[in-house]
PDB file of all heavy atoms in Angstrom:
ATOM      1  N   ILE A 124       0.823  -1.209   0.000  1.00 91.00           N
ATOM      2  CA  ILE A 124       0.000   0.000   0.000  1.00 91.00           C
ATOM      3  C   ILE A 124       0.856   1.258   0.000  1.00 91.00           C
ATOM      4  O   ILE A 124       0.427   2.296  -0.500  1.00 91.00           O
ATOM      5  CB  ILE A 124      -0.981  -0.015   1.201  1.00 91.00           C
ATOM      6  CG1 ILE A 124      -2.054   1.068   1.021  1.00 91.00           C
ATOM      7  CG2 ILE A 124      -0.221   0.173   2.512  1.00 91.00           C
ATOM      8  CD1 ILE A 124      -3.180   1.007   2.045  1.00 91.00           C
ATOM      9  N   LYS A 125       2.073   1.180   0.499  1.00 88.00           N
ATOM     10  CA  LYS A 125       2.935   2.363   0.554  1.00 88.00           C
ATOM     11  C   LYS A 125       3.304   2.869  -0.843  1.00 88.00           C
ATOM     12  O   LYS A 125       3.738   4.009  -0.996  1.00 88.00           O
ATOM     13  CB  LYS A 125       4.203   2.070   1.350  1.00 88.00           C
ATOM     14  CG  LYS A 125       5.123   1.033   0.720  1.00 88.00           C
ATOM     15  CD  LYS A 125       6.309   0.744   1.613  1.00 88.00           C
ATOM     16  CE  LYS A 125       7.225  -0.335   1.011  1.00 88.00           C
ATOM     17  NZ  LYS A 125       8.343  -0.658   1.918  1.00 88.00           N
ATOM     18  N   GLU A 126       3.107   2.013  -1.873  1.00 87.00           N
ATOM     19  CA  GLU A 126       3.438   2.417  -3.237  1.00 87.00           C
ATOM     20  C   GLU A 126       2.307   3.188  -3.908  1.00 87.00           C
ATOM     21  O   GLU A 126       2.486   3.725  -5.001  1.00 87.00           O
ATOM     22  CB  GLU A 126       3.795   1.185  -4.068  1.00 87.00           C
ATOM     23  CG  GLU A 126       5.050   0.459  -3.586  1.00 87.00           C
ATOM     24  CD  GLU A 126       5.371  -0.766  -4.423  1.00 87.00           C
ATOM     25  OE1 GLU A 126       4.624  -1.037  -5.388  1.00 87.00           O
ATOM     26  OE2 GLU A 126       6.368  -1.442  -4.122  1.00 87.00           O
ATOM     27  N   LEU A 127       1.138   3.253  -3.281  1.00 85.00           N
ATOM     28  CA  LEU A 127      -0.003   3.950  -3.861  1.00 85.00           C
ATOM     29  C   LEU A 127       0.061   5.450  -3.569  1.00 85.00           C
ATOM     30  O   LEU A 127       0.717   5.887  -2.630  1.00 85.00           O
ATOM     31  CB  LEU A 127      -1.317   3.392  -3.297  1.00 85.00           C
ATOM     32  CG  LEU A 127      -1.629   1.913  -3.521  1.00 85.00           C
ATOM     33  CD1 LEU A 127      -3.037   1.603  -3.026  1.00 85.00           C
ATOM     34  CD2 LEU A 127      -1.478   1.521  -4.974  1.00 85.00           C
ATOM     35  N   SER A 128      -0.660   6.214  -4.387  1.00 79.00           N
ATOM     36  CA  SER A 128      -0.797   7.647  -4.123  1.00 79.00           C
ATOM     37  C   SER A 128      -1.625   7.853  -2.863  1.00 79.00           C
ATOM     38  O   SER A 128      -2.322   6.935  -2.395  1.00 79.00           O
ATOM     39  CB  SER A 128      -1.491   8.332  -5.298  1.00 79.00           C
ATOM     40  OG  SER A 128      -2.845   7.886  -5.392  1.00 79.00           O
ATOM     41  N   GLY A 129      -1.580   9.079  -2.312  1.00 77.00           N
ATOM     42  CA  GLY A 129      -2.339   9.368  -1.102  1.00 77.00           C
ATOM     43  C   GLY A 129      -3.830   9.146  -1.283  1.00 77.00           C
ATOM     44  O   GLY A 129      -4.517   8.616  -0.402  1.00 77.00           O
ATOM     45  N   GLY A 130      -4.371   9.557  -2.456  1.00 79.00           N
ATOM     46  CA  GLY A 130      -5.788   9.383  -2.705  1.00 79.00           C
ATOM     47  C   GLY A 130      -6.198   7.926  -2.748  1.00 79.00           C
ATOM     48  O   GLY A 130      -7.256   7.539  -2.225  1.00 79.00           O
ATOM     49  N   ASN A 131      -5.367   7.081  -3.359  1.00 85.00           N
ATOM     50  CA  ASN A 131      -5.688   5.655  -3.431  1.00 85.00           C
ATOM     51  C   ASN A 131      -5.498   4.956  -2.086  1.00 85.00           C
ATOM     52  O   ASN A 131      -6.244   4.031  -1.753  1.00 85.00           O
ATOM     53  CB  ASN A 131      -4.846   4.981  -4.525  1.00 85.00           C
ATOM     54  CG  ASN A 131      -5.363   5.290  -5.912  1.00 85.00           C
ATOM     55  OD1 ASN A 131      -6.474   4.926  -6.272  1.00 85.00           O
ATOM     56  ND2 ASN A 131      -4.564   5.997  -6.690  1.00 85.00           N
ATOM     57  N   GLN A 132      -4.533   5.406  -1.292  1.00 87.00           N
ATOM     58  CA  GLN A 132      -4.414   4.883   0.074  1.00 87.00           C
ATOM     59  C   GLN A 132      -5.679   5.192   0.871  1.00 87.00           C
ATOM     60  O   GLN A 132      -6.182   4.338   1.604  1.00 87.00           O
ATOM     61  CB  GLN A 132      -3.200   5.501   0.769  1.00 87.00           C
ATOM     62  CG  GLN A 132      -1.860   5.007   0.277  1.00 87.00           C
ATOM     63  CD  GLN A 132      -0.709   5.670   0.996  1.00 87.00           C
ATOM     64  OE1 GLN A 132      -0.894   6.491   1.893  1.00 87.00           O
ATOM     65  NE2 GLN A 132       0.512   5.330   0.600  1.00 87.00           N
ATOM     66  N   GLN A 133      -6.213   6.415   0.700  1.00 86.00           N
ATOM     67  CA  GLN A 133      -7.417   6.801   1.428  1.00 86.00           C
ATOM     68  C   GLN A 133      -8.611   5.951   0.992  1.00 86.00           C
ATOM     69  O   GLN A 133      -9.454   5.579   1.813  1.00 86.00           O
ATOM     70  CB  GLN A 133      -7.703   8.281   1.199  1.00 86.00           C
ATOM     71  CG  GLN A 133      -8.675   8.895   2.187  1.00 86.00           C
ATOM     72  CD  GLN A 133      -8.079   9.089   3.568  1.00 86.00           C
ATOM     73  OE1 GLN A 133      -7.049   8.534   3.908  1.00 86.00           O
ATOM     74  NE2 GLN A 133      -8.739   9.871   4.391  1.00 86.00           N
ATOM     75  N   LYS A 134      -8.678   5.608  -0.283  1.00 88.00           N
ATOM     76  CA  LYS A 134      -9.756   4.745  -0.768  1.00 88.00           C
ATOM     77  C   LYS A 134      -9.662   3.350  -0.158  1.00 88.00           C
ATOM     78  O   LYS A 134     -10.687   2.734   0.163  1.00 88.00           O
ATOM     79  CB  LYS A 134      -9.716   4.654  -2.294  1.00 88.00           C
ATOM     80  CG  LYS A 134     -10.145   5.914  -3.015  1.00 88.00           C
ATOM     81  CD  LYS A 134     -10.106   5.692  -4.516  1.00 88.00           C
ATOM     82  CE  LYS A 134     -10.515   6.930  -5.275  1.00 88.00           C
ATOM     83  NZ  LYS A 134     -10.473   6.709  -6.749  1.00 88.00           N
ATOM     84  N   VAL A 135      -8.446   2.843   0.020  1.00 90.00           N
ATOM     85  CA  VAL A 135      -8.270   1.538   0.658  1.00 90.00           C
ATOM     86  C   VAL A 135      -8.788   1.578   2.097  1.00 90.00           C
ATOM     87  O   VAL A 135      -9.447   0.648   2.564  1.00 90.00           O
ATOM     88  CB  VAL A 135      -6.794   1.090   0.619  1.00 90.00           C
ATOM     89  CG1 VAL A 135      -6.591  -0.185   1.457  1.00 90.00           C
ATOM     90  CG2 VAL A 135      -6.342   0.852  -0.813  1.00 90.00           C
ATOM     91  N   LEU A 136      -8.494   2.682   2.796  1.00 90.00           N
ATOM     92  CA  LEU A 136      -8.980   2.813   4.180  1.00 90.00           C
ATOM     93  C   LEU A 136     -10.494   2.927   4.239  1.00 90.00           C
ATOM     94  O   LEU A 136     -11.127   2.379   5.149  1.00 90.00           O
ATOM     95  CB  LEU A 136      -8.325   4.026   4.851  1.00 90.00           C
ATOM     96  CG  LEU A 136      -6.803   3.932   5.044  1.00 90.00           C
ATOM     97  CD1 LEU A 136      -6.281   5.186   5.725  1.00 90.00           C
ATOM     98  CD2 LEU A 136      -6.428   2.707   5.860  1.00 90.00           C
ATOM     99  N   LEU A 137     -11.089   3.620   3.279  1.00 89.00           N
ATOM    100  CA  LEU A 137     -12.547   3.657   3.205  1.00 89.00           C
ATOM    101  C   LEU A 137     -13.101   2.257   2.957  1.00 89.00           C
ATOM    102  O   LEU A 137     -14.075   1.833   3.593  1.00 89.00           O
ATOM    103  CB  LEU A 137     -12.997   4.606   2.090  1.00 89.00           C
ATOM    104  CG  LEU A 137     -12.866   6.103   2.365  1.00 89.00           C
ATOM    105  CD1 LEU A 137     -13.093   6.906   1.090  1.00 89.00           C
ATOM    106  CD2 LEU A 137     -13.846   6.551   3.432  1.00 89.00           C
ATOM    107  N   ALA A 138     -12.465   1.532   2.055  1.00 90.00           N
ATOM    108  CA  ALA A 138     -12.905   0.169   1.747  1.00 90.00           C
ATOM    109  C   ALA A 138     -12.781  -0.746   2.959  1.00 90.00           C
ATOM    110  O   ALA A 138     -13.594  -1.663   3.139  1.00 90.00           O
ATOM    111  CB  ALA A 138     -12.093  -0.391   0.577  1.00 90.00           C
ATOM    112  N   ARG A 139     -11.751  -0.492   3.803  1.00 91.00           N
ATOM    113  CA  ARG A 139     -11.562  -1.314   5.008  1.00 91.00           C
ATOM    114  C   ARG A 139     -12.837  -1.337   5.849  1.00 91.00           C
ATOM    115  O   ARG A 139     -13.208  -2.384   6.397  1.00 91.00           O
ATOM    116  CB  ARG A 139     -10.392  -0.768   5.835  1.00 91.00           C
ATOM    117  CG  ARG A 139     -10.195  -1.469   7.167  1.00 91.00           C
ATOM    118  CD  ARG A 139      -9.113  -0.796   7.998  1.00 91.00           C
ATOM    119  NE  ARG A 139      -7.810  -0.930   7.376  1.00 91.00           N
ATOM    120  CZ  ARG A 139      -6.708  -0.312   7.811  1.00 91.00           C
ATOM    121  NH1 ARG A 139      -6.793   0.512   8.871  1.00 91.00           N
ATOM    122  NH2 ARG A 139      -5.555  -0.480   7.211  1.00 91.00           N
ATOM    123  N   TRP A 140     -13.497  -0.180   5.947  1.00 89.00           N
ATOM    124  CA  TRP A 140     -14.710  -0.115   6.762  1.00 89.00           C
ATOM    125  C   TRP A 140     -15.965  -0.436   5.970  1.00 89.00           C
ATOM    126  O   TRP A 140     -16.897  -1.041   6.494  1.00 89.00           O
ATOM    127  CB  TRP A 140     -14.814   1.263   7.424  1.00 89.00           C
ATOM    128  CG  TRP A 140     -13.712   1.464   8.405  1.00 89.00           C
ATOM    129  CD1 TRP A 140     -12.623   2.273   8.283  1.00 89.00           C
ATOM    130  CD2 TRP A 140     -13.548   0.766   9.646  1.00 89.00           C
ATOM    131  NE1 TRP A 140     -11.805   2.142   9.369  1.00 89.00           N
ATOM    132  CE2 TRP A 140     -12.345   1.229  10.235  1.00 89.00           C
ATOM    133  CE3 TRP A 140     -14.301  -0.186  10.331  1.00 89.00           C
ATOM    134  CZ2 TRP A 140     -11.874   0.774  11.458  1.00 89.00           C
ATOM    135  CZ3 TRP A 140     -13.845  -0.646  11.550  1.00 89.00           C
ATOM    136  CH2 TRP A 140     -12.643  -0.175  12.099  1.00 89.00           C
ATOM    137  N   LEU A 141     -15.978  -0.073   4.701  1.00 90.00           N
ATOM    138  CA  LEU A 141     -17.161  -0.370   3.893  1.00 90.00           C
ATOM    139  C   LEU A 141     -17.401  -1.871   3.759  1.00 90.00           C
ATOM    140  O   LEU A 141     -18.548  -2.321   3.707  1.00 90.00           O
ATOM    141  CB  LEU A 141     -17.020   0.267   2.504  1.00 90.00           C
ATOM    142  CG  LEU A 141     -17.023   1.789   2.465  1.00 90.00           C
ATOM    143  CD1 LEU A 141     -16.821   2.289   1.046  1.00 90.00           C
ATOM    144  CD2 LEU A 141     -18.301   2.349   3.063  1.00 90.00           C
ATOM    145  N   CYS A 142     -16.322  -2.648   3.741  1.00 90.00           N
ATOM    146  CA  CYS A 142     -16.502  -4.098   3.605  1.00 90.00           C
ATOM    147  C   CYS A 142     -17.067  -4.731   4.876  1.00 90.00           C
ATOM    148  O   CYS A 142     -17.491  -5.883   4.865  1.00 90.00           O
ATOM    149  CB  CYS A 142     -15.206  -4.784   3.177  1.00 90.00           C
ATOM    150  SG  CYS A 142     -13.881  -4.789   4.392  1.00 90.00           S
ATOM    151  N   THR A 143     -17.102  -3.975   5.985  1.00 89.00           N
ATOM    152  CA  THR A 143     -17.751  -4.478   7.205  1.00 89.00           C
ATOM    153  C   THR A 143     -19.238  -4.143   7.222  1.00 89.00           C
ATOM    154  O   THR A 143     -19.933  -4.472   8.190  1.00 89.00           O
ATOM    155  CB  THR A 143     -17.087  -3.883   8.466  1.00 89.00           C
ATOM    156  OG1 THR A 143     -17.354  -2.475   8.529  1.00 89.00           O
ATOM    157  CG2 THR A 143     -15.581  -4.137   8.468  1.00 89.00           C
ATOM    158  N   ASN A 144     -19.717  -3.458   6.163  1.00 89.00           N
ATOM    159  CA  ASN A 144     -21.122  -3.053   6.038  1.00 89.00           C
ATOM    160  C   ASN A 144     -21.564  -2.210   7.226  1.00 89.00           C
ATOM    161  O   ASN A 144     -22.512  -2.543   7.944  1.00 89.00           O
ATOM    162  CB  ASN A 144     -22.028  -4.289   5.904  1.00 89.00           C
ATOM    163  CG  ASN A 144     -23.427  -3.925   5.442  1.00 89.00           C
ATOM    164  OD1 ASN A 144     -23.620  -2.924   4.755  1.00 89.00           O
ATOM    165  ND2 ASN A 144     -24.406  -4.731   5.835  1.00 89.00           N
ATOM    166  N   PRO A 145     -20.909  -1.054   7.443  1.00 92.00           N
ATOM    167  CA  PRO A 145     -21.222  -0.230   8.617  1.00 92.00           C
ATOM    168  C   PRO A 145     -22.531   0.527   8.450  1.00 92.00           C
ATOM    169  O   PRO A 145     -23.018   0.736   7.336  1.00 92.00           O
ATOM    170  CB  PRO A 145     -20.035   0.735   8.672  1.00 92.00           C
ATOM    171  CG  PRO A 145     -19.670   0.918   7.232  1.00 92.00           C
ATOM    172  CD  PRO A 145     -19.887  -0.424   6.590  1.00 92.00           C
ATOM    173  N   LYS A 146     -23.068   0.970   9.578  1.00 94.00           N
ATOM    174  CA  LYS A 146     -24.217   1.865   9.560  1.00 94.00           C
ATOM    175  C   LYS A 146     -23.765   3.318   9.673  1.00 94.00           C
ATOM    176  O   LYS A 146     -24.411   4.225   9.151  1.00 94.00           O
ATOM    177  CB  LYS A 146     -25.156   1.537  10.725  1.00 94.00           C
ATOM    178  CG  LYS A 146     -25.768   0.139  10.664  1.00 94.00           C
ATOM    179  CD  LYS A 146     -26.618  -0.110  11.899  1.00 94.00           C
ATOM    180  CE  LYS A 146     -27.212  -1.513  11.878  1.00 94.00           C
ATOM    181  NZ  LYS A 146     -28.003  -1.792  13.117  1.00 94.00           N
ATOM    182  N   ILE A 147     -22.661   3.504  10.389  1.00 96.00           N
ATOM    183  CA  ILE A 147     -22.124   4.849  10.624  1.00 96.00           C
ATOM    184  C   ILE A 147     -20.639   4.835  10.276  1.00 96.00           C
ATOM    185  O   ILE A 147     -19.888   3.983  10.753  1.00 96.00           O
ATOM    186  CB  ILE A 147     -22.292   5.268  12.097  1.00 96.00           C
ATOM    187  CG1 ILE A 147     -23.772   5.253  12.502  1.00 96.00           C
ATOM    188  CG2 ILE A 147     -21.678   6.642  12.346  1.00 96.00           C
ATOM    189  CD1 ILE A 147     -23.982   5.275  14.007  1.00 96.00           C
ATOM    190  N   LEU A 148     -20.210   5.783   9.434  1.00 95.00           N
ATOM    191  CA  LEU A 148     -18.809   5.891   9.062  1.00 95.00           C
ATOM    192  C   LEU A 148     -18.301   7.277   9.451  1.00 95.00           C
ATOM    193  O   LEU A 148     -18.847   8.293   9.022  1.00 95.00           O
ATOM    194  CB  LEU A 148     -18.621   5.681   7.564  1.00 95.00           C
ATOM    195  CG  LEU A 148     -17.179   5.750   7.051  1.00 95.00           C
ATOM    196  CD1 LEU A 148     -16.328   4.643   7.680  1.00 95.00           C
ATOM    197  CD2 LEU A 148     -17.130   5.665   5.529  1.00 95.00           C
ATOM    198  N   ILE A 149     -17.267   7.307  10.300  1.00 94.00           N
ATOM    199  CA  ILE A 149     -16.628   8.564  10.705  1.00 94.00           C
ATOM    200  C   ILE A 149     -15.376   8.738   9.855  1.00 94.00           C
ATOM    201  O   ILE A 149     -14.513   7.852   9.821  1.00 94.00           O
ATOM    202  CB  ILE A 149     -16.243   8.542  12.194  1.00 94.00           C
ATOM    203  CG1 ILE A 149     -17.452   8.185  13.063  1.00 94.00           C
ATOM    204  CG2 ILE A 149     -15.662   9.884  12.618  1.00 94.00           C
ATOM    205  CD1 ILE A 149     -17.101   7.873  14.503  1.00 94.00           C
ATOM    206  N   VAL A 150     -15.277   9.866   9.174  1.00 92.00           N
ATOM    207  CA  VAL A 150     -14.089  10.146   8.362  1.00 92.00           C
ATOM    208  C   VAL A 150     -13.471  11.448   8.876  1.00 92.00           C
ATOM    209  O   VAL A 150     -14.089  12.496   8.840  1.00 92.00           O
ATOM    210  CB  VAL A 150     -14.417  10.239   6.855  1.00 92.00           C
ATOM    211  CG1 VAL A 150     -14.690   8.864   6.290  1.00 92.00           C
ATOM    212  CG2 VAL A 150     -15.604  11.152   6.581  1.00 92.00           C
ATOM    213  N   ASP A 151     -12.254  11.354   9.383  1.00 90.00           N
ATOM    214  CA  ASP A 151     -11.553  12.486   9.979  1.00 90.00           C
ATOM    215  C   ASP A 151     -10.515  12.994   8.990  1.00 90.00           C
ATOM    216  O   ASP A 151      -9.549  12.306   8.680  1.00 90.00           O
ATOM    217  CB  ASP A 151     -10.895  12.049  11.290  1.00 90.00           C
ATOM    218  CG  ASP A 151     -10.424  13.222  12.136  1.00 90.00           C
ATOM    219  OD1 ASP A 151     -10.478  14.362  11.649  1.00 90.00           O
ATOM    220  OD2 ASP A 151      -9.997  12.990  13.284  1.00 90.00           O
ATOM    221  N   GLU A 152     -10.716  14.203   8.479  1.00 87.00           N
ATOM    222  CA  GLU A 152      -9.859  14.810   7.447  1.00 87.00           C
ATOM    223  C   GLU A 152      -9.666  13.836   6.273  1.00 87.00           C
ATOM    224  O   GLU A 152      -8.553  13.414   5.956  1.00 87.00           O
ATOM    225  CB  GLU A 152      -8.495  15.206   8.036  1.00 87.00           C
ATOM    226  CG  GLU A 152      -8.564  16.211   9.163  1.00 87.00           C
ATOM    227  CD  GLU A 152      -8.920  17.611   8.700  1.00 87.00           C
ATOM    228  OE1 GLU A 152      -9.190  17.803   7.502  1.00 87.00           O
ATOM    229  OE2 GLU A 152      -8.954  18.523   9.550  1.00 87.00           O
ATOM    230  N   PRO A 153     -10.755  13.466   5.584  1.00 84.00           N
ATOM    231  CA  PRO A 153     -10.680  12.413   4.564  1.00 84.00           C
ATOM    232  C   PRO A 153      -9.851  12.769   3.340  1.00 84.00           C
ATOM    233  O   PRO A 153      -9.452  11.872   2.594  1.00 84.00           O
ATOM    234  CB  PRO A 153     -12.149  12.197   4.177  1.00 84.00           C
ATOM    235  CG  PRO A 153     -12.812  13.493   4.491  1.00 84.00           C
ATOM    236  CD  PRO A 153     -12.118  14.008   5.718  1.00 84.00           C
ATOM    237  N   THR A 154      -9.579  14.061   3.116  1.00 81.00           N
ATOM    238  CA  THR A 154      -8.836  14.435   1.909  1.00 81.00           C
ATOM    239  C   THR A 154      -7.483  15.063   2.220  1.00 81.00           C
ATOM    240  O   THR A 154      -6.858  15.647   1.332  1.00 81.00           O
ATOM    241  CB  THR A 154      -9.657  15.423   1.055  1.00 81.00           C
ATOM    242  OG1 THR A 154      -9.783  16.655   1.753  1.00 81.00           O
ATOM    243  CG2 THR A 154     -11.035  14.865   0.735  1.00 81.00           C
ATOM    244  N   ARG A 155      -7.025  14.943   3.444  1.00 74.00           N
ATOM    245  CA  ARG A 155      -5.743  15.569   3.804  1.00 74.00           C
ATOM    246  C   ARG A 155      -4.599  14.913   3.036  1.00 74.00           C
ATOM    247  O   ARG A 155      -4.481  13.697   2.965  1.00 74.00           O
ATOM    248  CB  ARG A 155      -5.492  15.449   5.299  1.00 74.00           C
ATOM    249  CG  ARG A 155      -4.092  15.925   5.718  1.00 74.00           C
ATOM    250  CD  ARG A 155      -3.965  16.076   7.213  1.00 74.00           C
ATOM    251  NE  ARG A 155      -4.767  17.215   7.685  1.00 74.00           N
ATOM    252  CZ  ARG A 155      -5.031  17.459   8.957  1.00 74.00           C
ATOM    253  NH1 ARG A 155      -4.585  16.643   9.886  1.00 74.00           N
ATOM    254  NH2 ARG A 155      -5.738  18.504   9.304  1.00 74.00           N
ATOM    255  N   GLY A 156      -3.748  15.736   2.441  1.00 66.00           N
ATOM    256  CA  GLY A 156      -2.544  15.248   1.794  1.00 66.00           C
ATOM    257  C   GLY A 156      -2.763  14.626   0.431  1.00 66.00           C
ATOM    258  O   GLY A 156      -1.873  13.927  -0.067  1.00 66.00           O
ATOM    259  N   ILE A 157      -3.920  14.877  -0.208  1.00 67.00           N
ATOM    260  CA  ILE A 157      -4.131  14.339  -1.545  1.00 67.00           C
ATOM    261  C   ILE A 157      -4.471  15.484  -2.492  1.00 67.00           C
ATOM    262  O   ILE A 157      -4.897  16.559  -2.075  1.00 67.00           O
ATOM    263  CB  ILE A 157      -5.234  13.258  -1.570  1.00 67.00           C
ATOM    264  CG1 ILE A 157      -6.572  13.802  -1.079  1.00 67.00           C
ATOM    265  CG2 ILE A 157      -4.819  12.074  -0.725  1.00 67.00           C
ATOM    266  CD1 ILE A 157      -7.682  12.784  -1.076  1.00 67.00           C
ATOM    267  N   ASP A 158      -4.281  15.253  -3.811  1.00 61.00           N
ATOM    268  CA  ASP A 158      -4.441  16.343  -4.773  1.00 61.00           C
ATOM    269  C   ASP A 158      -5.905  16.689  -4.979  1.00 61.00           C
ATOM    270  O   ASP A 158      -6.813  15.963  -4.574  1.00 61.00           O
ATOM    271  CB  ASP A 158      -3.764  16.006  -6.104  1.00 61.00           C
ATOM    272  CG  ASP A 158      -4.390  14.788  -6.777  1.00 61.00           C
ATOM    273  OD1 ASP A 158      -5.600  14.819  -7.076  1.00 61.00           O
ATOM    274  OD2 ASP A 158      -3.675  13.801  -7.010  1.00 61.00           O
ATOM    275  N   ILE A 159      -6.144  17.814  -5.656  1.00 62.00           N
ATOM    276  CA  ILE A 159      -7.488  18.362  -5.775  1.00 62.00           C
ATOM    277  C   ILE A 159      -8.428  17.420  -6.525  1.00 62.00           C
ATOM    278  O   ILE A 159      -9.613  17.301  -6.198  1.00 62.00           O
ATOM    279  CB  ILE A 159      -7.444  19.756  -6.449  1.00 62.00           C
ATOM    280  CG1 ILE A 159      -8.776  20.477  -6.322  1.00 62.00           C
ATOM    281  CG2 ILE A 159      -7.013  19.647  -7.891  1.00 62.00           C
ATOM    282  CD1 ILE A 159      -9.097  20.931  -4.941  1.00 62.00           C
TER     283      ILE A 159
END
């Protein structure tokens, strides 16, 4: 995962929780350090 861009790393982290089928998702600074 360290070889991915910041935006793609963030998508992997989102997927980590989405695959648990959550009801509530907390995202803290979800776009920090990634391009526009």
